[in-house]
Amino acid sequence: MTPQQTRERKPGRTRRAIIAGAVALTLSAGGATAWALDRFVVQHVEIADVSAYEASQAGISSGTSTNTSTGTVPGSGGTAVTTDTSYVSGSSNISISTTTTGSGDDTVTYYVADVVLDDATTLQSAFANDSFGENITETTSAIAEANSAVFAINGDYYGFRDTGIVIRNGVVFRDEGARQGLAFYRDGTVQVYDETTTTAGQLVAEGVWNTLSFGPSLLDNGEVAEGIEDVEVDTNFGNHSIQGEQPRTAVGIIDDNHLVFVVVDGRSPGYSAGVTMTGLAGIMQGLGATTAYNIDGGGSSTMYFNGGLVNNPLGGDRERGTSDILYIAQ
């Protein structure tokens, strides 16, 4: 039984309790609508100024300090050289490429960012509106621009759920282990882990800098993981299917401080149909990744570089709001 399947049996604040409340509300006129609006639309802000909160936690979190007001990290100085498809600075080397396969309605178009970091903490996270909570959204581009990012992808859309371990820029925001997560360490290593067997505090003590809580893991030691077509990220009410050919976003690990980020467009016959989980795993495998992890996809799948969109998220260069991004500052 997977962590995703076992989560709803744990005590505490779970979707089961929310479902029970929803059922009770439906007994009164308009109850279901009111509940749905509150759960999926109304913003619930837990931390209104994340930058200030992260700064206040700087003395608590161990390791490299981050200037959250400017989005810079040690070693990020120096003259950067930027082209339409590349960025080279003292802290990072980014190369953007486009691949198109197939033909007709089976055409698939995806975008790859090959990233080499000098310091693992150069890869940072930011929240929509610089706020933490549920249903707080901005486009990937807007969050990127607010944080002076040269490169960004959408994150795990943590704000859609109230479970998962959320550690960002070395600071704990949520500690509700529920599924298979991805942990970025300060030493440049990246590992898939079971959220239900640890705590956010323990992970930070071990040197974790950022976590993502979505999944599934796509590759095990370079081989396509078994059962990835059947994984459900959220087993309770409100689960959105992640099966079938869909737009996708994934993170792959080639070596310490060497990452590949992939965004696959989809739902656009003739341009890009999208891919299945197995297809996404195959792409990551072909890029040389030994570990790869699926994050929020669909209309959220977005890659941003040097002031503009790289992919075409919803057709017509439109973006859907999301709750968070991973980015590299200029």
Side-chain angles (χ1 to χ4, degrees):
M1 185 171 288
T2 66
Q4 288 93 337
Q5 293 169 322
T6 58
R7 171 58 191 146
E8 64 181 337
R9 298 184 182 180
K10 293 180 65 177
R13 187 185 181 203
T14 66
R15 299 286 190 206
R16 181 171 293 176
I18 296 175
I19 295 170
V23 172
L25 282 171
T26 59
L27 298 178
S28 60
T33 300
W35 174 83
L37 287 171
D38 182 69
R39 174 61 188 84
F40 298 110
V41 178
V42 177
Q43 293 187 1
H44 297 280
V45 179
E46 297 176 38
I47 300 174
D49 189 339
V50 166
S51 294
Y53 179 73
E54 288 186 354
S56 73
Q57 299 296 304
I60 298 174
S61 301
S62 60
T64 306
S65 61
T66 301
N67 184 337
T68 55
S69 63
T70 62
T72 61
V73 297
S76 63
T79 303
V81 178
T82 308
T83 71
D84 290 341
T85 59
S86 66
Y87 175 85
V88 179
S89 73
S91 60
S92 53
N93 187 323
I94 305 169
S95 178
I96 308 292
S97 62
T98 305
T99 298
T100 299
T101 64
S103 61
D105 289 349
D106 294 324
T107 300
V108 172
T109 301
Y110 62 91
Y111 303 86
V112 179
D114 188 292
V115 176
V116 178
L117 304 173
D118 179 61
D119 186 317
T121 61
T122 301
L123 181 65
Q124 300 181 79
S125 175
F127 296 130
N129 295 330
D130 197 30
S131 300
F132 176 81
E134 294 179 34
N135 304 325
I136 306 167
T137 63
E138 278 188 295
T139 65
T140 295
S141 292
I143 307 173
E145 289 165 5
N147 288 274
S148 301
V150 66
F151 168 78
I153 60 164
N154 62 284
D156 63 7
Y157 211 144
Y158 81 89
F160 176 76
R161 57 191 60 83
D162 58 5
T163 60
I165 291 180
V166 181
I167 300 170
R168 301 299 168 87
N169 304 331
V171 175
V172 176
F173 288 88
R174 181 182 292 162
D175 190 8
E176 291 287 340
R179 57 188 65 84
Q180 200 175 46
L182 187 70
F184 297 80
Y185 289 78
R186 293 174 185 267
D187 65 2
T189 59
V190 184
Q191 297 180 7
V192 174
Y193 74 104
D194 182 349
E195 291 181 337
T196 67
T197 63
T198 187
T199 67
Q202 182 177 345
L203 290 170
V204 169
E206 293 171 353
V208 170
W209 173 244
N210 278 308
T211 61
L212 295 173
S213 182
F214 203 90
S217 171
L218 300 168
L219 300 176
D220 293 332
N221 296 318
E223 299 299 323
V224 177
E226 295 183 1
I228 56 177
E229 296 296 344
D230 301 319
V231 171
E232 291 182 337
V233 175
D234 300 298
T235 59
N236 298 301
F237 186 82
N239 177 60
H240 285 187
S241 172
I242 59 173
Q243 280 71 50
E245 293 183 337
Q246 306 288 353
R248 307 281 187 187
T249 304
V251 180
I253 297 85
I254 294 177
D255 204 346
D256 292 356
N257 283 325
H258 187 181
L259 309 171
V260 284
F261 300 92
V262 171
V263 169
V264 184
D265 277 341
R267 304 172 186 168
S268 299
Y271 159 63
S272 190
V275 292
T276 62
M277 283 293 174
T278 302
L280 182 61
I283 290 173
M284 306 309 289
Q285 189 180 48
L287 291 169
T290 55
T291 298
Y293 185 83
N294 175 66
I295 53 180
D296 188 32
S300 298
S301 288
T302 306
M303 183 179 290
Y304 170 97
F305 179 72
N306 194 28
L309 287 174
V310 174
N311 68 313
N312 192 352
L314 292 171
D317 295 323
R318 295 176 296 120
E319 292 182 73
R320 183 174 77 182
T322 187
S323 61
D324 57 310
I325 64 170
L326 289 177
Y327 75 96
I328 295 171
Q330 299 186 54

